Amino acid sequence: MESIVLLLILVVVGGSALVYGRKQTKRREATERAELESQLATSKRAADEDVTKFGEELQRLDVDVAGRPLDEAMQQDYQRALDAYEDAKTSLAAVRRPEEIRHVTEILEDGRYAIACVKARVANQPLPQKRPPCFFNPAHGPSAQNVQWAPPGGSVRDVPACAADAERVLAGADPYIRTVQMGARRVPYWEGGPAYAPWAQGYYNSWRGSDMLTGMMVGGLLFGGMNSMGGLFSGLGQGIGAIGEGIGEGFEGIGDGIGDAFDGIGDMFGDFFGGN
């Protein structure tokens, strides 16, 4: 009889744990899907803004080259910029996961350098050096130089800056920082959380390990986990908190399940022995 009772206990407890585990798995999968969809919408919105802005830059470039004879080199750069626009739109339409956004911004990074080359040729100036995009706003195009800059409360680091932002920083003014929506406020993109990481990484992906990024804030920011200025630790804290909460709920649920199982077994055997 004791073996039968023990077997029944194990069956009931195991079944309760299995049911609870399945519920937790479904709940976790639903949460992950919702988070993935939110990150996808957020990153696509940022990339779509950049594709639109790139198209506007091409329209202005049309005005710059209108009526001018284009030599072969200028035609190649111009065509490369046009191709980048079409490729970026196609790539954006094909995105299904947040990490795929980096392919869009990689294309835009190359396209903006092509635009810079066309502008230099039109103005009879030397071609711009191939450099990382402006740290303050990658949509500003290739950087012109590195500048010493520190975020509020942060340490001073070298960052690549476009000519306009470099001039402002060197003059003691604030650069034109790309902000993104985070809740009810707009923040610098590097404080926007993991949803913006693939978007930003695409701009600098070809510069990973480059001497131009070695030791720069942008290197740690983009390839160290998205936000060396606080967001990373905030995200880790939230993640650890969520894990702790989940573990607590898990043990609580298992305890409830075991308690209910023993209550049910007690009632069953009480009825059985009481009736005999």
Side-chain angles (χ1 to χ4, degrees), residues 10-25 250 253-255 257-258 261:
L10 293 175
V11 169
V12 173
V13 171
S16 299
L18 181 61
V19 170
Y20 179 78
R22 287 177 177 174
K23 288 182 179 179
Q24 288 296 95
T25 298
I254 291 173
I258 293 174

Side-chain angles (χ1 to χ4, degrees), residues 39-269:
Q39 290 186 1
L40 178 61
T42 298
S43 56
K44 286 191 73 171
R45 182 166 56 249
D48 184 63
E49 291 175 1
D50 286 2
V51 171
T52 299
K53 183 174 182 180
F54 185 72
E56 294 170 351
E57 292 176 27
L58 283 177
Q59 291 178 350
R60 291 192 291 271
L61 188 64
D62 287 340
V63 176
D64 293 339
V65 302
R68 293 175 176 270
L70 303 182
D71 59 26
E72 182 177 354
M74 190 181 297
Q75 288 178 350
Q76 290 177 351
D77 288 333
Y78 191 34
Q79 187 61 50
R80 198 168 97 200
L82 295 174
D83 291 343
Y85 179 56
E86 296 300 324
D87 290 346
K89 290 193 297 182
T90 301
S91 182
L92 180 60
V95 167
R96 295 295 179 268
R97 298 182 61 83
E99 61 267 22
E100 295 172 356
I101 288 294
R102 64 168 56 93
H103 302 311
V104 180
T105 48
E106 283 176 357
I107 295 170
L108 292 177
E109 189 262 334
D110 184 68
R112 285 200 167 89
Y113 179 70
I115 286 181
C117 288
V118 173
K119 290 181 177 180
R121 295 183 190 279
V122 169
N124 292 319
Q125 295 178 348
L127 293 180
Q129 182 184 2
K130 182 68 171 170
R131 289 181 50 88
C134 177
F135 169 73
F136 302 108
N137 186 346
H140 289 169
S143 57
Q145 66 181 89
N146 298 339
V147 294
Q148 293 271 304
W149 180 80
S155 58
V156 176
R157 302 284 185 86
D158 273 343
V159 295
C162 65
D165 279 331
E167 182 178 352
R168 291 179 62 82
V169 170
L170 294 175
D174 293 329
Y176 293 113
I177 295 174
R178 169 68 178 269
T179 61
V180 295
Q181 196 70 33
M182 188 176 183
R185 61 195 183 99
R186 293 190 69 85
V187 299
Y189 72 88
W190 54 78
E191 295 180 4
Y196 293 99
W199 168 85
Q201 287 169 354
Y203 277 115
Y204 299 92
N205 198 43
S206 61
W207 299 96
R208 183 193 294 263
S210 167
D211 290 341
M212 292 186 181
L213 290 185
T214 300
M216 291 183 184
M217 180 192 307
V218 67
L221 167 67
L222 299 177
F223 302 118
M226 189 59 186
N227 202 350
S228 56
M229 301 177 203
L232 173 61
F233 292 102
S234 175
L236 285 175
Q238 293 173 0
I240 293 172
I243 291 172
E245 182 179 350
I247 292 174
E249 291 178 354
F251 279 108
E252 180 182 355
I254 291 173
D256 292 341
I258 293 174
D260 292 342
F262 276 102
D263 287 343
I265 291 172
D267 293 341
M268 178 181 68
F269 280 94

